[in-house]
């Protein structure tokens, strides 16, 4: 887990979404007829008629008279559903960059065709949400308490009154589990899971996993470090709790593992290092947080960073701490690391 996630969790009580002026009127409007979902771009169907039931990772079962058409989701969830042909109406979370381009977490989703309820942590326009007449809200969960990711604590009750929610856990498990859960969810929402684009992506994922396993077995001596950069600190993630790193480790990748005592302030996810101590761990490959909340490698000017053996050797690759949970989007994560291991030299 990166520094941004833990900071977000600690700040949850201090941040909230926008006001709720006129919310009562919007609540009343939620009983009106819902709109129909649009094609998500991969040839799948829109929402079908008939009852809908889905049990989420909190153990909560949502039951509706028909398959949801008006879906609001965390940006990354919306991007995953889009890959399966399900178009959401609204999103919340990092959606566009300061330059107006799609955020990395938006994937292939056309951000111009969704209503953005909030583009940053703590932002969630409840009035806009109500105006969408949502059938369901879908997001991920990064703890075992069932906390809905990017849903502001101060607005949780108001948001919950507008529509039921579905939470997919991405906490302390390998990525294959939430990938399957997203697959099941998309299928329940009317996606065509037998479409060639969908089945081919799953086959490519399995092939990429086999390639990474082989690369890790061939070079067990290479150490990989997962990092994230801010202006003041460098964060080293351990494999425990993170769905991508836990899976990569299970495939045989040899990771730098900060001790539990060092990860205490990071909620068990990571260790914080000053830039003067960024060389505390020896690594041959460095995976860097690719989210907009983190400083990207090309923009790091710290001299201590530039002196790291992996950096000097050009053995730095991107990492997605919040993977888009479709097989199509996870293939590059496996392929990138496999390729890095295949090409890397021992430099630590």
């Amino acid at each position: 887990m990166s520094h941004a996630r833990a900071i977000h969790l600690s700040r949850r009580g201090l941040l909230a979404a926008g006001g709720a002026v006129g919310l009562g009127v919007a609540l009343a409007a939620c009983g009106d007829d819902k709109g129909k979902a649009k094609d998500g771009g991969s040839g799948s169907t829109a929402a079908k008629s008939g009852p809908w039931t889905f049990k989420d990772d909190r153990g909560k079962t949502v039951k509706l008279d028909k398959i949801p058409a008006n879906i609001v989701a965390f940006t990354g969830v919306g991007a995953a559903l889009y890959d399966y042909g399900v178009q959401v109406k609204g999103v919340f979370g990092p959606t566009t960059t300061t330059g107006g381009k799609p955020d990395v977490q938006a994937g292939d989703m056309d951000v111009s065709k969704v209503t953005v309820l909030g583009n940053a942590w703590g932002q969630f326009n409840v009035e806009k949400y109500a105006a969408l007449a949502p059938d369901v809200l879908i997001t991920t969960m990064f703890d075992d308490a069932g906390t809905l990711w990017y849903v502001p604590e101060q607005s949780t009750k108001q948001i919950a009154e507008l529509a039921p929610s579905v939470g997919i856990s991405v906490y302390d498990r390998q990525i294959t589990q939430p990938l399957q859960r997203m697959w099941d969810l998309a299928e329940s929402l009317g996606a065509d899971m037998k479409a060639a684009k969908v089945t081919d992506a799953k086959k490519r994922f399995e092939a990429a996993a086999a390639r990474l396993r082989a690369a890790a077995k061939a070079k067990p001596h290479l150490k990989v470090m997962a990092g994230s950069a801010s202006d003041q600190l460098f964060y080293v993630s351990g494999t425990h709790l993170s769905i991508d790193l836990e899976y990569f480790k299970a495939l045989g990748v040899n990771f730098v593992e900060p001790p539990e005592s060092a990860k205490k302030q990071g909620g068990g996810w990571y260790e914080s290092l000053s830039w003067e101590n960024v060389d505390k761990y020896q690594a041959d490959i460095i995976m860097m947080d690719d989210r907009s909340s983190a400083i990207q490698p090309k923009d790091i000017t710290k001299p201590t960073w530039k002196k790291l053996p992996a950096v000097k050797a050009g053995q730095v690759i991107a990492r997605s701490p919040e993977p888009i949970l479709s097989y199509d989007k996870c293939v590059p994560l496996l392929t990138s690391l496999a390729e890095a291991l295949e090409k890397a030299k021992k430099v630590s």
Side-chain angles (χ1 to χ4, degrees), residues 2-339:
S2 79
H3 66 289
R5 184 178 306 153
I7 291 173
H8 289 164
L9 291 173
S10 65
R11 295 173 62 195
R12 182 175 290 276
L14 301 177
L15 301 172
V21 178
L23 185 57
V25 176
L27 279 166
C30 282
D32 296 340
D33 292 338
K34 316 292 186 192
K36 294 182 179 180
K38 300 177 182 178
D39 187 346
S42 64
S44 183
T45 59
K48 304 173 183 177
S49 60
W52 183 76
T53 300
F54 190 84
K55 185 176 182 179
D56 77 357
D57 291 339
R58 298 169 296 179
K60 294 185 177 182
T61 300
V62 177
K63 297 181 179 181
L64 299 174
D65 293 336
K66 61 180 180 178
I67 294 177
N70 295 354
I71 302 169
V72 173
F74 173 68
T75 302
V77 171
L81 292 175
Y82 182 89
D83 284 352
Y84 291 130
V86 178
Q87 176 70 56
V88 303
K89 288 194 71 174
V91 295
F92 54 95
T95 308
T96 58
T97 64
T98 53
K101 296 181 179 179
D103 188 272
V104 64
Q105 294 191 64
D108 293 331
M109 183 171 56
D110 187 344
V111 298
S112 70
K113 293 183 178 180
V114 295
T115 298
V116 181
L117 304 177
N119 197 48
W121 183 258
Q123 295 178 359
F124 193 113
N125 191 312
V126 182
E127 287 182 325
K128 279 188 178 181
Y129 179 57
L132 291 174
D135 291 320
V136 67
L137 178 149
I138 308 172
T139 187
T140 49
M141 301 180 297
F142 281 93
D143 59 30
D144 55 5
T147 305
L148 298 176
W149 190 232
Y150 263 79
V151 175
E153 185 178 16
Q154 293 183 8
S155 303
T156 298
K157 184 177 180 180
Q158 293 171 333
I159 292 168
E161 289 174 345
L162 289 162
S165 61
V166 168
I168 301 298
S169 180
V170 288
Y171 176 75
D172 195 18
R173 60 200 63 202
Q174 294 180 23
I175 198 171
T176 46
Q177 187 173 343
L179 269 173
Q180 183 60 51
R181 292 292 284 148
M182 193 62 68
W183 175 288
D184 295 340
L185 177 60
E187 185 173 34
S188 78
L189 292 169
D192 180 7
M193 309 313 283
K194 294 182 180 179
K197 179 179 179 180
V198 174
T199 56
D200 287 351
K202 192 170 185 179
K203 290 177 182 177
R204 287 189 292 109
F205 177 88
E206 292 166 352
R211 178 182 176 182
L212 179 55
R213 186 189 296 276
K217 185 176 182 180
K219 294 185 177 180
H221 57 290
L222 295 184
K223 295 286 286 186
V224 180
M225 180 168 67
S228 185
S230 72
D231 184 57
Q232 299 297 321
L233 296 169
F234 183 83
Y235 306 86
V236 180
S237 295
T239 58
H240 181 53
L241 304 180
S242 296
I243 58 172
D244 60 330
L245 302 184
E246 285 199 15
Y247 184 55
F248 299 158
K249 183 178 181 180
L251 292 176
V253 179
N254 184 12
F255 280 98
V256 167
E257 296 280 9
E260 291 304 312
S261 58
K263 295 189 294 179
K264 187 175 181 180
Q265 289 187 338
W269 295 85
Y270 62 85
E271 177 182 3
S272 305
L273 298 175
S274 66
W275 283 102
E276 288 74 19
N277 296 315
V278 73
D279 61 351
K280 178 178 179 178
Y281 298 106
Q282 299 297 306
D284 302 293
I285 297 171
I286 301 176
M287 303 175 69
M288 291 295 290
D289 187 344
D290 69 353
R291 294 176 298 175
S292 55
S293 59
I295 299 176
Q296 297 307 299
K298 64 181 178 60
D299 299 319
I300 300 175
T301 59
K302 308 292 184 181
T304 50
W305 163 260
K306 295 180 179 181
K307 291 179 181 178
L308 293 177
V311 176
K312 292 170 69 175
Q315 295 175 177
V316 178
I317 63 173
R319 177 203 170 205
S320 299
E322 294 183 59
I324 294 173
L325 296 172
S326 72
Y327 286 101
D328 180 70
K329 293 299 177 292
C330 288
V331 169
L333 310 184
L334 295 164
T335 303
S336 174
L337 182 53
E339 188 175 76

